[in-house]
Amino acid sequence: MAAALGSIAEIERELGAQRVDPESGQPMQRTSVMTHLAWVPEQWVEAAEDVLSGLAERHPSRTIVLVPDPDAEDALEASVEVDCYPVGEHRKVSMETIRLKLCGKRVQAPASVVEPLLLPDLPVFLRWRGLPPFGEQPFEQLVDTVDRLIVDSTEWPGLPAPYGRLADIFDRVAVSDIAWARTSRWRAQLASLWPGIAGVRRIKVLGTEAQAHLLAGWLRSRLGRKIELEHEAADRLTGVELDGEPTPFPPGDPPDPADLLSDELERFTRDRVYEDAVSATRM
Amino acid sequence: MAVAEQQENPLLEGLRLRRTPDPCALVIFGASGDLTKRKLFPALYSLALRHLLPERFGIIGVARTEESDDDFREAMKAAVQEFGRDAFQQETWDWLAERTRYVATDFADEGGQQRLVGALNELDEKQGTSGNRVYYLAVPPSAIATLIHEIGKHRSTDGWTRLIVEKPFGRDLASAQELNAELQQSFEEREVFRIDHYLGKETVQNLLALRFANGIFEPIWNRQFVDHVQITVAESIGIEGRAAFYEQAGAIRDIFQNHLLQLVALTAMEPPIDFTAESVRNEKVKVLRAMHTPGPKHVVRGQYGQGFIEGEEVPGYRDEPGVARDSMTETFVAAKLFVDNWRWADTPFYVRAGKRLARRETTIAIEFKRAPHPPFEESAEGELQPNVLVVHIQPDEGVSLEFAAKVPGQGLTLRTVHMDFLYGGAFRTGIPEAYERLILDCLLGDTTLFTRSDEVEEQWSLVDAIVAFWKRDRPAFPNYEAGTWGPAAADELMRRDGRSWRRH
């Protein structure tokens, strides 16, 4: 196994070397539409790699996976991978993944590591696994570096309190929430019940805690009044009742995690409806 | 509740809902033909897979061949498996097959018409298709007029009716005008979808995005900065067993009249005020009207002789099965066209289309004027090349820009380099087939990517003028070898102007 790379210069050099097609000796064409950062604490590495492997081919990007290890000795340990995909009849394009382990104090200054590696002029997305440490250096630095933050509030304990901290950063960065994206089929279904749904007083959600709070917050913010929430825990969103009446199951299949993240990577503007829903989760 | 009924639905805000077509029945005339197998059913399958077809939907295949519903479904299943772009999923196929019927008839026969009407009524009842009809005329040009007349006579009084007409639409201006007149007796223009599948290609539509969504191109997209434009629609295949059609059509009716002139129109058109069907088509028609008839000196026709494609010997056109030994049908056409308006006056558009050329390639190349005073001339090796913006329609869809760069080292040696954008490299979601897009647009009632009656007539006016010159002479065919870039006269067409076709 190759030794870990310990500096930005070494990373750049290795990327340059790997971009040469071993068959032809010619540099491969690089195509990127974004820089995709992923903050992945050790416990999320496996799940994150699964999603990223489905994503690279659909969103040609430079992917930078940041794995924090605050207890290790101060160091930067990096590896790079250049993957090649066929395009059309005669061409191949390359995409890059940089895996960076931030050890010791380096965890506190991720922006200084990431900034030199961002692709110029392209949007930067940050996928943060788990509950972000709102107010702490690594998170705050990266939020100010990127154009869009993607979280999955299903991964967060203690809901709905963290939504309050999330709402505080809406003016600094556009936010996507995979938990919110998972409710889209149900929101469309509930919207189809208009105008009957206008007078609803109580919603019961069979799903994750995040989905329950977000659906209730959405109805409250859209209808402009208090709506009571009852939550029955389930791994997936399997049912919604309005004032005790079950609503019909929405058509189609639920999208897989890579599809959900992929859809969020195509959004570039603030999602005001989501922001309103988040703000109304604690009403 | 009464108040809520009058309000707009606040729950719809922010939802990314796809527009789904109304319930309808799709009738395909020419259901046993190649187009249905290779393009239409694979496209319908891909639409079904992505849940883009309405839930209440039905298909009726119509052809003369006697076969049962089950035989037809089996044949279409095999076609989807062979020609589809998506992996075959039994569940999706079952959904489509359940909605598919077959009617064997010659439509001119009254009994056959009644069987079709009966099958449609049955679909309305069983699948809830609500009397909405799309008729797809995938039939030879000779059968189109009869079908238009009969469909008009039997059109449903419930729901809407739309008609998709395959190219070629007529064989000259007079026949196109007759077809348009026949259509106008029973259908409104918004109900007629004249298909030119090139307009359904993502990269052709991307040409509009490139021109009108980027501030850097439009200011230099005119006679002040553009030296000339080259458009090539080259095929390496021969006539693939379509001698009966091709002998009548030739390259000018098969490609030039439709695909090639559409590419010229999209390249030269003014920015539309919006992307509604009428705005886009109004601008295209203006270009077609502004194109003047090139004199005979500015048009070259050719026919391929025996040669080699990818190392394999291939026969000449006259040796293809079904082709007359003394055929004068052209398999290649090149022309120098002008668009007489303020933007393009005196800027030539060199266009060429042909079969059995060196490679399959469709490109639009905008060649810009040379730098007025390059200070490098003495140190440059060879002549400094002009900048060229190339839109690659197929294969390797994308855009490239050619510009000069300094070769590293001492002195100032320059070399032309390419900056490439590969469409499939940046967007990895799979490019939909043109027919998927066009069928879906028709089901949604969107005519933007279809050709309007006046566009078709303008295209035929130009073609008629060119063909009129051809009646006066008899070139020595064949005049180019298969596997080359066409007859020497096509090169001469450019050379006379001190230019040359792009090297491929």
Side-chain angles (χ1 to χ4, degrees):
Chain A
M1 194 174 150
L5 309 165
S7 70
I8 301 297
E10 284 177 21
I11 293 169
E12 295 279 18
R13 216 170 12 249
E14 183 60 21
L15 280 172
Q18 289 199 24
R19 267 187 224 124
V20 176
D21 185 351
E23 285 171 29
S24 64
Q26 296 293 314
M28 290 184 288
Q29 183 172 349
R30 185 178 65 168
T31 299
S32 302
V33 294
M34 70 178 86
T35 303
H36 175 200
L37 301 181
W39 181 270
V40 187
E42 198 65 46
Q43 70 268 30
W44 292 104
V45 167
E46 203 175 321
E49 290 285 345
D50 280 353
V51 174
L52 289 175
S53 65
L55 208 65
E57 218 185 318
R58 285 144 75 184
H59 293 275
S61 55
R62 173 175 282 185
T63 300
I64 304 173
V65 183
L66 299 163
V67 182
D69 188 358
D71 300 329
E73 202 173 315
D74 200 14
L76 182 68
E77 293 173 13
S79 64
V80 303
E81 197 178 311
V82 175
D83 290 310
C84 212
Y85 298 96
V87 175
E89 293 183 8
H90 320 101
R91 314 285 282 271
K92 285 195 274 194
V93 294
S94 64
M95 286 161 245
E96 305 154 344
T97 305
I98 304 168
R99 290 182 175 79
L100 284 165
K101 195 163 186 183
L102 304 174
C103 305
K105 287 181 189 160
R106 305 283 181 115
V107 175
Q108 294 306 313
S112 68
V113 178
V114 162
E115 282 279 4
L117 293 171
L118 299 180
L119 295 173
D121 303 322
L122 291 176
V124 184
F125 289 74
L126 168 63
R127 170 72 173 103
W128 193 283
R129 300 302 303 236
L131 178 66
F134 295 106
E136 291 182 18
Q137 269 299 311
F139 179 71
E140 297 299 326
Q141 274 185 18
L142 288 177
V143 160
D144 289 333
T145 304
V146 305
D147 300 293
R148 187 168 205 94
L149 168 69
I150 303 172
V151 296
D152 184 350
S153 58
T154 313
E155 297 165 353
W156 299 359
L159 291 173
Y163 286 132
R165 301 301 304 274
L166 183 69
D168 291 342
I169 63 167
F170 286 155
D171 285 333
R172 288 166 58 201
V173 68
V175 178
S176 284
D177 185 344
I178 305 279
W180 170 250
R182 282 199 191 96
T183 65
S184 66
R185 294 161 65 233
W186 282 92
R187 280 182 281 127
Q189 181 72 354
L190 294 174
S192 73
L193 303 177
W194 181 265
I197 194 172
V200 70
R201 300 186 172 282
R202 194 158 179 274
I203 180 172
K204 179 179 176 184
V205 178
L206 286 79
T208 66
E209 209 177 353
Q211 288 163 337
H213 285 295
L214 289 171
L215 276 177
W218 172 66
L219 276 184
R220 289 172 194 144
S221 60
R222 291 296 98 200
L223 300 176
R225 55 191 179 73
K226 278 198 164 184
I227 290 168
E228 236 180 281
L229 169 66
E230 185 184 343
H231 172 225
E232 191 175 318
D235 289 347
R236 294 182 297 118
L237 185 49
T238 52
V240 173
E241 288 178 19
L242 297 173
D243 292 335
E245 288 294 315
T247 57
F249 210 83
D253 304 318
D256 69 32
D259 286 337
L260 286 166
L261 181 51
S262 178
D263 284 351
E264 295 311 310
L265 293 176
E266 281 166 9
R267 305 192 69 152
F268 294 93
T269 53
R270 286 175 71 165
D271 183 348
R272 301 281 184 180
V273 176
Y274 169 69
E275 292 178 6
D276 292 346
V278 166
S279 301
T281 51
R282 290 159 301 124
M283 269 170 73
Chain B
M1 194 68 67
V3 176
E5 270 170 29
Q6 289 162 21
Q7 282 176 355
E8 264 191 47
N9 183 352
L11 302 179
L12 288 175
E13 194 181 337
L15 284 177
R16 286 183 282 179
L17 298 175
R18 271 194 305 228
R19 218 179 129 205
T20 43
D22 296 338
C24 64
L26 170 65
V27 181
I28 303 173
F29 290 98
S32 58
D34 241 23
L35 183 75
T36 308
K37 287 194 197 94
R38 286 173 182 268
K39 298 291 180 189
L40 304 187
F41 254 86
L44 287 164
Y45 173 83
S46 292
L47 292 172
L49 186 70
R50 289 165 181 79
H51 305 286
L52 294 170
L53 295 175
E55 188 59 33
R56 290 185 285 153
F57 182 66
I59 304 169
I60 300 181
V62 181
R64 287 183 188 157
T65 322
E66 282 295 336
E67 60 180 335
S68 67
D69 285 349
D70 284 342
D71 292 343
F72 180 66
R73 288 183 197 122
E74 274 309 306
M76 292 305 112
K77 180 180 175 183
V80 166
Q81 286 170 325
E82 187 177 352
F83 301 113
R85 74 177 170 108
D86 295 303
F88 185 80
Q89 285 185 17
Q90 189 62 41
E91 198 186 337
T92 303
W93 173 252
D94 290 343
W95 185 93
L96 205 59
E98 194 192 332
R99 290 161 172 75
T100 300
R101 307 272 181 282
Y102 180 79
V103 173
T105 177
D106 176 347
F107 203 69
D109 136 51
E110 188 64 33
Q113 293 164 22
Q114 290 315 320
R115 280 202 299 285
L116 177 58
V117 170
L120 282 165
N121 290 339
E122 198 184 309
L123 268 185
D124 282 343
E125 210 171 288
K126 286 193 176 158
Q127 300 291 351
T129 45
S130 309
N132 295 329
R133 313 274 187 254
V134 175
Y135 294 97
Y136 199 121
L137 311 190
V139 294
S142 55
I144 286 179
T146 313
L147 277 175
I148 291 171
H149 180 75
E150 294 299 329
I151 294 167
K153 221 164 68 180
H154 293 89
R155 67 176 287 174
S156 164
T157 47
D158 303 324
W160 45 254
T161 298
R162 293 175 191 145
L163 211 59
I164 304 180
V165 188
E166 264 294 332
K167 76 162 184 81
F169 189 83
R171 58 165 286 107
D172 53 21
L173 177 60
S175 58
Q177 283 171 329
E178 274 172 37
L179 275 180
N180 278 334
E182 181 71 53
L183 279 166
Q184 282 152 10
Q185 282 186 17
S186 311
F187 303 95
E188 291 177 38
E189 183 61 34
R190 64 181 170 80
E191 296 174 319
V192 182
F193 295 73
R194 296 173 194 80
I195 214 163
D196 179 338
H197 76 267
Y198 256 52
L199 296 179
K201 287 180 181 286
E202 288 286 331
T203 35
V204 172
Q205 294 160 47
N206 188 46
L207 176 61
L208 298 177
L210 179 83
R211 287 193 56 195
F212 304 129
N214 294 291
I216 60 166
F217 297 120
E218 210 44 30
I220 55 169
W221 204 270
N222 57 49
R223 64 190 301 275
Q224 308 292 340
F225 296 92
V226 174
D227 179 75
H228 71 277
V229 177
Q230 291 186 25
I231 301 181
T232 298
V233 181
E235 296 173 282
S236 58
I237 55 169
I239 55 170
E240 305 283 289
R242 296 192 306 149
F245 163 74
Y246 205 84
E247 277 282 86
Q248 294 299 312
I252 198 145
R253 293 184 176 89
D254 186 34
I255 303 287
F256 184 96
Q257 180 268 338
N258 37 73
H259 303 332
L260 225 159
L261 290 182
Q262 283 292 332
L263 293 182
V264 174
L266 291 168
T267 306
M269 69 191 258
E270 294 298 315
I273 53 164
D274 54 35
F275 271 90
T276 59
E278 291 318 299
S279 300
V280 173
R281 301 194 297 185
N282 285 345
E283 297 306 333
K284 283 197 291 167
V285 166
K286 282 186 207 164
V287 173
L288 293 166
R289 279 195 190 130
M291 282 167 61
H292 75 233
T293 312
K297 213 173 74 172
H298 301 303
V299 182
V300 171
R301 58 178 159 154
Q303 187 191 77
Y304 63 84
Q306 173 270 330
F308 292 86
I309 297 282
E310 294 179 19
E312 193 182 329
E313 188 170 359
V314 295
Y317 177 70
R318 289 175 176 177
D319 297 322
E320 299 271 13
V323 172
R325 301 289 297 173
D326 60 350
S327 172
M328 290 305 292
T329 301
E330 78 289 347
T331 60
F332 176 94
V333 59
K336 176 179 166 185
L337 306 172
F338 285 98
V339 179
D340 297 331
N341 60 21
W342 272 59
R343 186 188 283 263
W344 294 115
D346 303 324
T347 308
F349 283 66
Y350 298 98
V351 300
R352 60 179 168 171
K355 288 203 171 287
R356 286 284 189 227
L357 298 183
R359 59 184 274 195
R360 169 177 165 255
E361 179 182 293
T362 301
T363 51
I364 300 167
I366 316 293
E367 187 162 321
F368 293 93
K369 290 181 176 170
R370 289 167 193 278
H373 174 66
F376 312 106
E377 272 179 320
E378 283 187 15
S379 55
E381 268 182 27
E383 205 179 354
L384 200 56
Q385 297 295 314
N387 299 119
V388 184
L389 181 74
V390 185
V391 179
H392 303 266
I393 308 289
Q394 64 182 18
D396 296 338
E397 297 87 344
V399 180
S400 62
L401 179 67
E402 295 173 16
F403 60 92
K406 179 185 174 300
V407 178
Q410 283 192 330
L412 251 174
T413 309
L414 302 177
R415 188 174 294 164
T416 299
V417 292
H418 288 240
M419 187 163 65
D420 279 349
F421 154 71
L422 284 173
Y423 205 65
F427 303 104
R428 306 284 302 169
T429 48
I431 298 178
E433 284 286 320
Y435 279 94
E436 289 171 40
R437 172 65 194 263
L438 295 172
I439 290 172
L440 185 62
D441 277 5
C442 175
L443 298 185
L444 291 165
D446 183 350
T447 53
T448 310
L449 299 177
F450 295 84
T451 320
R452 206 167 59 188
S453 59
D454 50 352
E455 265 180 284
V456 172
E457 291 180 12
E458 292 296 340
Q459 289 170 341
W460 279 121
S461 296
L462 190 76
V463 167
D464 278 7
I466 292 172
V467 171
F469 300 133
W470 291 354
K471 288 180 181 152
R472 296 181 208 153
D473 67 347
R474 196 176 165 82
F477 280 170
N479 59 355
Y480 71 96
E481 277 180 32
T484 66
W485 281 104
D491 296 331
E492 185 54 32
L493 177 80
M494 297 283 279
R495 204 175 298 125
R496 275 201 302 266
D497 295 344
R499 302 183 175 106
S500 60
W501 293 105
R502 288 178 53 246
R503 199 176 56 220
H504 295 268

